[in-house]
Structure formats: C-alpha cells, structure tokens
Amino acid sequence: MLPAACGGNKAPVTQSSTQTPSGPAAAVQSNSYHGVGVVKSLNPKAPAIEIDHGDIEGLMPAMQMEFPVTDASMLNGIAVNDRIDFTVENGTEMKVTAIKKKNRS
Ligand SMILES: [Cu+2]
C-alpha cells in the first residue's frame, strides 16, 4: 500500500486579486484627519483660517498654513492665539470642516 501523498499536491491557489472597480463612485474619496494647533489669523471672507498646527498624522507634518473652511460661521467665537482642535478633510481639496476651541488650563 502506498503512503498517501500528503499535502504535496496543492492546487495552485490563485489569490483572486479583486481589483476594486474604478467606477465614478470610487472617484471622490474623502478622508478626515484630526489636528491641533494655534490660530494665527482668521479670514471670514475666504473663508479660511491660518493655523500653526502640530503633526497631522497621515496628512502632513507640523507647520503654519492657511486652510479653507467649509463655512465662515465656523470662525465665530474663534480668536487669534486660541488653541483649537480641528478636523481636516482631504478630498478633492483640503478643507477644515470642524473647529473646536480647546479649554485653557
Ligand atoms: Cu499643514
């Protein structure tokens, strides 16, 4: 009796590389990032906000820059030199979508 050929004859596993369909639905992808920084200037007309921000993981290192904001009303109650938490969305263009003033301690 022949020993059973054990394990030696695996069928070639074609790891089905499921290519994600690149339809129109896949085109607009938006990613949210969380940042922390200090307000340097406010531009309600743009509207935009200039922030001296720390590292935004997955997006950019610390730097001072101006971000467009989705709505000028987000700048209400925010002043230069305020510490803020903010949300950046990096879709077709980079925009700040939320701003939250940090409590001074
Ligand atoms: Cu930046």
Side-chain angles (χ1 to χ4, degrees), residues 1-104:
M1 214 172 154
L2 291 169
C6 145
N9 193 21
K10 281 185 184 161
V13 181
T14 41
Q15 201 77 31
S16 53
S17 54
T18 27
Q19 294 275 341
T20 35
S22 53
V28 180
Q29 194 187 4
S30 129
N31 299 298
S32 282
Y33 300 87
H34 171 246
V36 180
V38 175
V39 178
K40 288 295 166 185
S41 70
L42 298 163
N43 184 352
K45 282 180 192 162
I49 186 169
E50 189 176 354
I51 308 170
D52 187 357
H53 69 75
D55 283 359
I56 302 176
E57 211 180 302
L59 186 61
M60 62 173 82
M63 69 180 78
Q64 183 174 328
M65 64 184 281
E66 191 174 67
F67 291 95
V69 298
T70 47
D71 196 308
S73 68
M74 286 163 51
L75 307 177
N76 292 343
I78 305 290
V80 170
N81 290 325
D82 277 348
R83 294 200 129 265
I84 55 167
D85 278 304
F86 59 98
T87 303
V88 187
E89 280 197 7
N90 192 13
T92 48
E93 87 181 299
M94 205 185 293
K95 276 198 165 188
V96 169
T97 57
I99 299 174
K100 197 179 146 223
K101 201 165 156 175
K102 272 182 171 296
N103 298 323
R104 286 170 198 274

